[in-house]
Amino acid sequence: MTDLASLPVPDEGPIRDKIRQIYERSFPPEEQITMCDLLRAARKPGVSFDAWTDASLPAGEAGTDHVVALTFYLGFLAVDARTRGAGYGSRILTHVAQRYPGIPQLLEIEPVTREAPNYQQRVRRLAFYERNGFTVTNMLTHEADQTYRVLARQG
């Protein structure tokens, strides 16, 4: 069993840099918020911006090889490509559900449309969230010229 833990993303340093890399690789530029804005928003009550670490992984330069994922109050969940498929995303979502029992959790994903260039990726993403207790709602949102489907859990 791995030793998964979260810590607030620091304003600067190697962990923040690693989180930035994961974030920039995981989300298209039109969906990204600047790191400065993410860090500023994380200072507000009820908001968290966390780096998820696994102490059982071998440490690399500055220990950043321990960093496996990021969450921004479930606005963003991204697992580092080198550790994807190892159950980190599901474990993080379980942690969030336990930390906020009874509070509805909403998230947005790209709609699963056959015409999409990343259709198979969208199918896998939806299946992942459904395995973790999210259901598809009838709500759509439109942000930054992109349309998203809203998923819900615990509400």
Side-chain angles (χ1 to χ4, degrees):
M1 190 59 144
T2 59
D3 189 13
L4 189 63
S6 68
L7 59 112
V9 174
D11 288 341
E12 56 185 45
I15 290 176
R16 196 278 320 257
D17 294 343
K18 177 70 174 186
I19 289 298
R20 173 194 257 145
Q21 290 172 2
I22 295 171
Y23 178 68
E24 290 176 352
R25 289 182 192 143
S26 299
F27 299 97
E30 65 271 11
E31 294 180 17
Q32 293 179 16
I33 300 167
T34 68
M35 188 61 61
C36 181
D37 287 341
L38 288 171
L39 290 165
R40 186 178 309 119
R43 292 187 191 106
K44 295 180 180 179
V47 177
S48 64
F49 184 24
D50 296 322
W52 291 84
T53 62
D54 181 351
S56 71
L57 293 175
E61 182 179 334
T64 60
D65 281 351
H66 290 295
V67 177
V68 295
L70 70 95
T71 56
F72 184 79
Y73 195 68
L74 218 50
F76 300 104
L77 167 62
V79 176
D80 191 0
R82 69 189 169 84
T83 56
R84 205 168 287 142
Y88 291 114
S90 293
R91 290 180 57 206
I92 291 167
L93 289 174
T94 298
H95 171 80
V96 170
Q98 291 170 348
R99 183 174 175 187
Y100 303 102
I103 296 175
Q105 296 162 13
L106 304 173
L107 58 85
E108 302 169 329
I109 65 168
E110 299 165 306
V112 178
T113 55
R114 289 199 182 277
E115 303 79 31
N118 63 341
Y119 172 73
Q120 289 300 323
Q121 182 185 43
R122 291 178 185 204
V123 168
R124 286 190 306 273
R125 187 177 296 122
L126 175 58
F128 164 77
Y129 284 116
E130 287 178 330
R131 282 192 310 274
N132 283 280
F134 285 86
T135 58
V136 176
T137 71
N138 63 354
M139 297 184 339
L140 295 174
T141 61
H142 192 76
E143 301 173 36
D145 294 328
Q146 302 292 318
T147 299
Y148 301 94
R149 171 70 62 191
V150 176
L151 305 181
R153 176 169 77 171
Q154 297 184 17

